[in-house]
Amino acid sequence: MLKSEITKRIKRHNILAFPQLNLNYWGINKVATSTMCNHLLIQTGVTVNTQNKSGQVGKRMTGKLHIDRQTAYTNNLINFAIVRSPYARFESCYRHFKYPKDEVQSFGSRKAKFDPVWSPDDFLDHIEKVFAKGNIGNKHYAKQSWFIPEPQRLDHVIKLENLVKNWPFDFSPPDFVSNPTTVVPSIKYNREKLHHLYAEDFNVFGY
């Protein structure tokens, strides 16, 4: 396998090592990753403009922090991840693709081959076809269990809904939100189909 392919795979796993904080952050797209990247960088002394309209400032500064899973398991740092209700994560992903707020979100939508005319159920049908082919899918809707295949090996897997209550570190949790999606009226879709498609996430992470 070419070095560039290895690097691409490692980056997609989205594990960032912060030795200054004694932790590895296992990021899952559409689970506050922009916020957490910014927040953790700030804790290391990096100046990050959290008011930047794209919210992607921190992510652009983490290129050299990516590590592979085996390194994360063996580098003696605390392994930490945040998970999210599969319903809320799907809705956030749909809003991101359907109603992009800036060019960064528009690019993400195009890269995922999202058709702007799709309803939430159309999007679910697309995800179903992708999964049926045995593909992981775009990082924004890939299963959370793909990012964290062995949650029992991590020190902390915290639900986003309980992040402040269950925050495990001496420094405070973030008090800002980066890269939010557009607020739209309630999104209606086939929740049973979503539960079926993401059954592993519901079961493994207790949703």
Side-chain angles (χ1 to χ4, degrees):
M1 185 177 294
L2 297 176
K3 183 177 180 180
S4 60
E5 293 176 334
I6 296 172
T7 301
K8 185 176 181 180
R9 174 176 292 184
I10 291 174
K11 286 188 174 182
R12 189 168 193 195
H13 287 166
N14 213 22
I15 307 169
L16 305 176
F18 290 89
Q20 310 96 314
L21 305 177
N22 194 39
L23 67 86
N24 300 315
Y25 168 55
W26 295 58
I28 300 175
N29 296 87
K30 303 315 301 176
V31 188
T33 49
S34 296
T35 298
M36 288 306 305
C37 284
N38 286 340
H39 186 60
L40 295 174
L41 284 168
I42 290 170
Q43 305 313 304
T44 68
V46 175
T47 300
V48 178
N49 177 13
T50 60
Q51 301 304 312
N52 182 279
K53 64 180 181 179
S54 79
Q56 298 285 314
V57 177
K59 282 187 176 180
R60 297 192 189 103
M61 302 170 72
T62 61
K64 295 182 179 180
L65 304 182
H66 289 269
I67 58 174
D68 60 39
R69 289 170 177 166
Q70 189 58 35
T71 300
Y73 291 139
T74 59
N75 66 1
N76 296 316
L77 301 183
I78 295 170
N79 285 298
F80 163 66
I82 304 171
V83 294
R84 186 179 193 180
S85 161
Y87 295 123
R89 183 169 177 256
F90 168 78
E91 292 167 15
S92 177
C93 184
Y94 180 77
R95 291 195 305 269
H96 177 150
F97 290 168
K98 180 76 171 182
Y99 310 103
K101 298 180 69 173
D102 52 45
E103 181 52 36
V104 173
Q105 291 190 357
S106 294
F107 176 76
S109 177
R110 294 193 299 272
K111 189 174 181 180
K113 299 180 180 179
F114 180 87
D115 190 326
V117 305
W118 280 348
S119 69
D121 282 314
D122 292 332
F123 186 32
L124 267 183
D125 288 343
H126 171 72
I127 294 173
E128 183 178 39
K129 292 174 183 176
V130 170
F131 288 176
K133 294 178 181 178
N135 295 326
I136 296 166
N138 178 267
K139 64 184 181 180
H140 294 92
Y141 63 76
K143 296 174 183 178
Q144 296 178 78
S145 51
W146 179 82
F147 289 94
I148 309 177
E150 299 178 278
Q152 72 279 4
R153 299 185 68 178
L154 273 62
D155 299 284
H156 303 286
V157 178
I158 299 175
K159 293 182 179 180
L160 180 61
E161 298 81 4
N162 302 323
L163 184 62
V164 173
K165 177 182 176 182
N166 295 331
W167 183 254
F169 303 110
D170 292 336
F171 58 92
S172 300
D175 59 1
F176 59 89
V177 176
S178 300
N179 198 32
T181 53
T182 302
V183 177
V184 297
S186 178
I187 296 174
K188 300 183 183 302
Y189 55 92
N190 187 332
R191 292 171 71 89
E192 290 185 4
K193 174 178 278 192
L194 185 139
H195 194 285
H196 172 71
L197 291 174
Y198 291 92
E200 187 173 357
D201 287 352
F202 280 98
N203 294 332
V204 170
F205 301 117
Y207 283 103

